[in-house]
Amino acid sequence: MADNQEATLTLPSAPASVTAARRHVTDVLLSWGLGESTDVMESLRLIVSELATNAVQHTCGQSPVFTVDLRLEGAEWLRLGVSDSHPRRPRRLPAAVQQDNGRGLAIIRALTAESGGRMTVAPAGRGGKTVWVDLPWMPMATA
């Protein structure tokens, strides 16, 4: 396996794309050597599901597509990013709204911290943003 690998997929901002994003991440990580039934694989599936759902639900129709990026950097860090063209940064919803949703970012932060990683938000093309989750790769490969 090369030290640096990348995989990118752009999908329409539609509910069915959440499943496609999760499948894409699973397939790429399997090809990079991460086991199917590891806790880390399950965490990454949940993280991409939450990020893709946010890109579909919270861009108010201003982002017709979103992009999922995976980068394996130097066999040390895995970067998972979801980009959309909506300028608003993700934020936690008020408690009154959180009855049925609004916990996605908290879930992502918890899973990321548990794995020794970090979550950041960076500007992206078309005035949008990318939510990046960076996780150590080596501990994941043996999980």
Side-chain angles (χ1 to χ4, degrees), residues 36-88:
E36 170 80 35
S37 60
T38 63
D39 289 342
V40 174
M41 180 68 88
E42 290 304 316
S43 292
L44 287 163
R45 285 181 182 133
L46 182 53
I47 289 169
V48 75
S49 292
E50 292 294 336
L51 291 175
T53 297
N54 286 351
V56 170
Q57 289 185 346
H58 301 296
T59 58
C60 305
Q62 291 184 9
S63 185
V65 298
F66 68 94
T67 301
V68 177
D69 287 300
L70 284 165
R71 299 177 185 170
L72 184 56
E73 298 179 348
E76 296 174 8
W77 285 94
L78 174 69
R79 296 196 84 200
L80 166 64
V82 175
S83 304
D84 62 57
S85 58
H86 192 282
R88 187 180 68 219

Side-chain angles (χ1 to χ4, degrees), residues 39 43 108-117 135:
D39 289 342
S43 292
I108 294 166
R109 284 189 180 105
L111 290 171
T112 301
E114 183 179 288
S115 298
L135 299 175

Side-chain angles (χ1 to χ4, degrees), residues 81-101:
V82 175
S83 304
D84 62 57
S85 58
H86 192 282
R88 187 180 68 219
R89 294 172 63 91
R91 66 187 185 337
R92 202 170 168 177
L93 296 175
V97 179
Q98 289 187 14
Q99 305 247 345
D100 293 325
N101 60 20

